Amino acid sequence: MPLEQVRIVQDGLENSMSNTEKRKSWAEPFKIKMVELLRMTTRDERVKAIKEAGYNTFLLKSDDVYIDLLTDSGTSAMSDRQWSGMMMGDEAYAGSRNFYHLEEAVRKYYGYKYLVPTHQGRGAEHIISRIMIKKGDFIPGNMYFTTTRLHQELAGGGFVDVIVDEAHDPTNQHTFKGNVDISKLDRLLEKVGKEKIPYLSIATAVNMAGGQPISLENLKKVREWSLKHGIPIIHDATRVAENAYFIKKRESGCQDKSVAQIVRELCDLTDGCTMSAKKDAMVNIGGFLAVNDPDLFDQARNMVVIYEGLHTYGGMAGRDMEAVAIGLGESVDHEHIRARVEQVMYLGGKLLDAGVPIVEPIGSHAVFLDAKRFLPHVPQNEFPAQVLAAELYVEAGIRSMERGVVSAGRDPETGDHRYPKLELVRLTIPRRVYTQAHMDVTAEAVIELYENRDRIKGLKMVYEPKYLRFFQARFEPI
Ligand code: P70
């Protein structure tokens, strides 16, 4: 029996342990078989470490980190089933059995017909951008993502934000801040014409908006628009299961659907996807491009051999593909996704109760501190989110990530900083890795920092790389 069938993907809150017993408390739907020991550091050690890292949390050594909330990408804990799948890796250069298993899983859970494996998400973004975008094209999307937009720009295109205005306001309580504003699509079409719009770039659980979902209702409208104008939709499916959980919880008429069903519905409204399997699918490395159009598939399959690897492995080992195939099934399991998203809610709820300014509603994969309100005395050109992330590390050994002016980069036309409305610090929760107690410690540390926020001062950038500067830029206190 295939491994993912061992655990029946069941759904519905009424079936879960806590609800049948009518208890208020609930626990993670797994037990721990192996642990990774954490290193404790002193404040002096952390002051030295962050200085050496140029006040950039990407440049810290992970050995110097206590609770690592830099990202949920490649940092989740694989299940015993995924690990046993790793032992079933078929490392043949061509035609690995794990490729066929992955293809079957993508068809089953997402419904896309053709699979092109890649080493991770940006590998897929590179390929789809190179194939579909011509110089001078415009690619509308529900907020940019750093790597996605860069690949669109490198292919000669320009990203156009068509997300609802509410998404740019961290205090707005809109329950589907990932939604597209169709009138923005109309305006773009009118301005540039459909020949210049190769596809719509639609993400589920929009990362840069704070992990905010798009509703099924909105995606259906986007689909109508797309069919009417003959412009396809490429879906960034990186966190589609998390988006589906929000739909089940919030969208009317969806309560009785399973997360697995909603994931399929979302994917069925689009023409293909790029996927970083390092998130929802909980693997340490891997990704893919999947499409329904045979011609597009042909071109992608040809391009993957140049940049990634043969079309039946695309930069992954056979064992990696097996872990992705199993992880896709686990990602749509109701108990799993509920525990995952509700753990994020738990941390966010604690911060809200203490009056710490965060993006609301709380997103699916992370709690985003609103650095503009946290540090109103630090102007945006002194990198408030960057300094807040550095200070949280010094305070408590907790590593987070800047998602503000540094991440937004420079405008390729003018060369100026892009000043995004959202200046955020992301506390990203890896899946199945930390307990509620780690969340308690994190909340307490952030609250303490908030109480002492007045003493925090801005930074100046002293080194700036050309591409994706946030990864390697260096700073000094002003
Ligand atoms: C993160 C990671 C990756 C990602 C994503 C969405 C919605 C594509 C990708 C790319 C890692 C990251 C990447 C750039 C800047 C900071 C962090 N997001 N689409 O931490 O996938 O990393 O596999 O190439 O979130 O959010 P990949």
Side-chain angles (χ1 to χ4, degrees), residues 71 120-122 125 145-146 207 236 239 276 279 426 470:
T71 177
Q120 58 184 79
R122 70 198 74 180
E125 292 169 350
F145 185 71
T146 52
N207 194 350
D236 184 336
R239 297 183 182 84
S276 171
K279 284 81 166 174
R426 192 180 74 173
F470 52 89

Side-chain angles (χ1 to χ4, degrees), residues 58 70-73 120-123 125 145-148 203 205 207 236 238-239 275-279 286 365 401 403 426 428 470-471:
F58 278 108
L70 182 70
T71 177
D72 62 334
S73 179
Q120 58 184 79
R122 70 198 74 180
E125 292 169 350
F145 185 71
T146 52
T147 57
T148 322
N207 194 350
D236 184 336
T238 296
R239 297 183 182 84
M275 173 75 184
S276 171
K278 301 170 71 172
K279 284 81 166 174
H365 65 306
M401 186 191 290
R403 298 277 75 176
R426 192 180 74 173
T428 336
F470 52 89
F471 283 132

